[in-house]
Amino acid sequence: MDASHTDGHSHGHYGRALSLLATLFFMWGFITVINGTLLPHLRSVFELSYFQAALIESVWFIAYFFASIPAAMLIERIGYQKSLVTGLLIMAGGAVGMMVAASIPSYGITLAMLFVIASGITLLQVAANPYVAVIGPAETASSRLNLVQAMNSAGTMLAPMFGAWLILGRSKGGTAAAGTVLTQAERLADAHSVILPYGIVAVVLTVLAIVIARFPLPAIGAANRRVREATAEGSLWHRFWNHPLWQHRNLVLGVPAIFIYLIAEIGVGNLFINFISRPDIGGMTAEQAGRYLTLLWGGMMVGRFVGSAIMQKVDAGIVLAVFSVGAFVVMGITVVSSGQVAMWSLILVGLFHSIMFPTIFTLGIRGLGPLTEEGSGLLIMAIAGGALVAVQGWLADRYGLQASFILTAVCELYTLFYAVWGSRPTHALPDLEVE
């Protein structure tokens, strides 16, 4: 049965499946952004430089690079549903590991457990994003993925409040004035404040895994097996260079588009609290700044709902171009201004970043047909671009925190290039089937 010719009953069935999958988008958005609250906390606990703090986020995104291809192979072997359950359980195990790291406390174990959690999220991403994209009409794939990604943004919007309340609000470093030096006992107490929130996360993830395991998700057909078999002949080198994926310009240029966009999004999220808490910008504590982070991610949620509606009638590439220009303008204002203007312009970039990932993703897999699963793996691997947030941390240490946002503005220009030219498909294959 072709995805674009489902009957009313099928639409209802897929609607229920999408509603359930929306909870996955919510949870991985929630957990990813908890890091934005966790970084200034860990910077205080372990007395880290901006570079060392950014390295924590780099380890998180390096997991996307290493886990994406194994994730695609696992999906091929055990199917989408079991892979989603496995991903959730991996994340739950990592959350328990974070509790152990906090009780010691240990910087090394913290890095390792963040890698584990990110690997679980990678498995969810490789499975869920293409699933949402292919179970409906191809022309509204961007609209559909933006809609469920809005739930991802709902998670990112609520996470800072959760973190500010249960992490920063219960720690000395989170409530003290900027520049306060903590004693050894205070740092140990602050480290222990992470145990409760990650315990809650572990329980929720385990419950969600049980629900997903028992839910009758529709299966994506196995038409792509024929293409895999056709490309399996010859040496590994020959198969790599002659793989039909490289014939699709929208995918080839979409991979760096995801990579570069993640540098911008994660750089803003990670350095947001440090930036607006500065005396010359917002003049507030880390706990108060954590509440404003909610507005940044809330803007992403609103933008995705609005973008989803717009893309029902306007080409996704045009919408992406407009949002890219908007993001470049507000980042320019952030770099050259100060006080409330700089603070609110940085908050506003969340609105313009909102549609970028889901729209680039759906434009990147457009026309891949049976190659969608493999193309999805490459695009999710590109999320490793978030690891280069360490570069922005280095720029902040060397040239100043505000000047480091020039890197973000430059990233927006590549997104504009991809929207205008790079996203145009050069080939088109038959759509995947949904059973």
Side-chain angles (χ1 to χ4, degrees):
M1 179 172 58
D2 189 279
S4 61
H5 294 89
T6 56
D7 58 23
H9 174 74
S10 297
H11 277 302
H13 190 43
Y14 298 145
R16 291 192 297 274
L18 288 176
S19 297
L20 179 59
L21 289 173
T23 62
L24 298 182
F25 285 82
F26 176 90
M27 284 306 300
W28 80 57
F30 183 93
I31 293 173
T32 299
V33 174
I34 276 288
N35 285 351
T37 303
L38 191 62
L39 286 184
H41 170 78
L42 293 177
R43 189 166 182 261
S44 173
V45 169
F46 296 111
E47 298 182 297
L48 307 176
S49 68
Y50 282 125
F51 174 77
Q52 289 172 313
L55 184 61
I56 294 173
E57 195 70 29
S58 294
V59 168
W60 176 271
F61 284 96
I62 286 170
Y64 281 92
F65 179 81
F66 286 105
S68 290
I69 297 304
M73 295 170 63
L74 182 64
I75 293 168
E76 179 185 352
R77 189 176 187 85
I78 67 175
Y80 280 83
Q81 187 161 4
K82 290 182 179 178
S83 295
L84 292 174
V85 173
T86 301
L88 287 166
L89 293 177
I90 290 172
M91 292 166 62
V96 172
M98 285 293 289
M99 297 168 66
V100 174
S103 65
I104 296 177
S106 169
Y107 178 68
I109 295 179
T110 297
L111 291 179
M113 290 304 103
L114 287 174
F115 183 90
V116 170
I117 295 172
S119 296
I121 291 179
T122 300
L123 181 52
L124 295 184
Q125 292 257 31
V126 175
N129 280 294
Y131 185 95
V132 171
V134 304
I135 64 170
E139 61 270 17
T140 56
S142 290
S143 172
R144 193 163 49 253
L145 190 54
N146 268 283
L147 184 61
V148 295
Q149 283 277 359
M151 287 302 297
N152 178 273
S153 295
T156 63
M157 183 182 69
L158 294 176
M161 292 189 290
F162 180 84
W165 175 45
L166 283 180
I167 298 177
L168 297 179
R170 296 169 59 242
S171 66
K172 179 68 175 178
T175 55
T180 300
V181 179
L182 303 184
T183 66
Q184 181 65 29
E186 288 171 336
R187 287 200 299 272
L188 181 61
D190 280 7
H192 289 171
S193 68
V194 173
I195 296 175
L196 176 61
Y198 274 98
I200 295 172
V201 167
V203 171
V204 172
L205 289 172
T206 302
V207 171
L208 186 55
I210 295 171
V211 173
I212 294 286
R214 298 176 62 87
F215 190 88
L217 288 177
I220 294 179
N224 52 341
R225 290 176 188 164
R226 294 190 296 270
V227 176
R228 272 199 210 96
E229 292 168 358
T231 58
E233 299 177 358
S235 67
L236 178 63
W237 187 258
H238 175 81
R239 295 199 305 270
F240 176 81
W241 285 112
N242 292 279
H243 200 286
L245 282 174
W246 308 130
Q247 300 173 14
H248 298 265
R249 179 178 66 189
N250 54 308
L251 174 67
V252 172
L253 297 180
V255 170
I258 292 284
F259 188 94
I260 291 169
Y261 163 67
L262 260 294
I263 297 174
E265 180 190 311
I266 303 306
V268 169
N270 282 0
L271 297 176
F272 181 89
I273 291 177
N274 293 114
F275 181 69
I276 73 166
S277 62
R278 284 174 30 166
D280 61 327
I281 304 297
M284 61 186 74
T285 67
E287 180 189 10
Q288 293 169 328
R291 297 192 184 110
Y292 279 91
L293 186 59
T294 300
L295 297 178
L296 174 75
W297 300 117
M300 293 193 73
M301 182 181 69
V302 171
R304 283 173 175 170
F305 278 122
V306 173
S308 175
I310 292 174
M311 279 183 255
Q312 292 284 342
K313 299 182 180 297
V314 181
D315 180 76
I318 295 174
V319 179
L320 179 61
V322 172
F323 276 60
S324 299
V325 171
F328 177 79
V329 170
V330 296
M331 287 313 303
I333 294 173
T334 300
V335 170
V336 302
S337 60
S338 62
Q340 294 289 303
V341 173
M343 183 180 82
W344 286 104
S345 62
L346 188 61
I347 291 173
L348 190 59
V349 78
L351 179 66
F352 292 109
H353 276 171
S354 61
I355 64 139
M356 289 189 180
F357 175 82
T359 305
I360 293 170
F361 186 91
T362 50
L363 290 174
I365 64 172
R366 184 167 58 179
L368 294 189
L371 299 173
T372 297
E373 183 179 295
E374 295 171 88
S376 170
L378 290 176
L379 289 167
I380 298 302
M381 180 185 289
I383 294 177
L388 289 188
V389 71
V391 174
Q392 188 167 356
W394 178 84
L395 291 173
D397 287 328
R398 188 173 180 85
Y399 300 105
L401 185 55
Q402 188 164 15
S404 72
F405 287 114
I406 293 175
L407 176 64
T408 309
V410 173
C411 291
E412 318 294 1
L413 294 179
Y414 184 86
T415 306
L416 176 61
F417 157 76
Y418 181 72
V420 173
W421 185 79
S423 63
R424 299 176 184 175
T426 48
H427 290 77
L429 297 173
D431 290 339
L432 282 177
E433 296 178 350
V434 178
E435 297 169 355

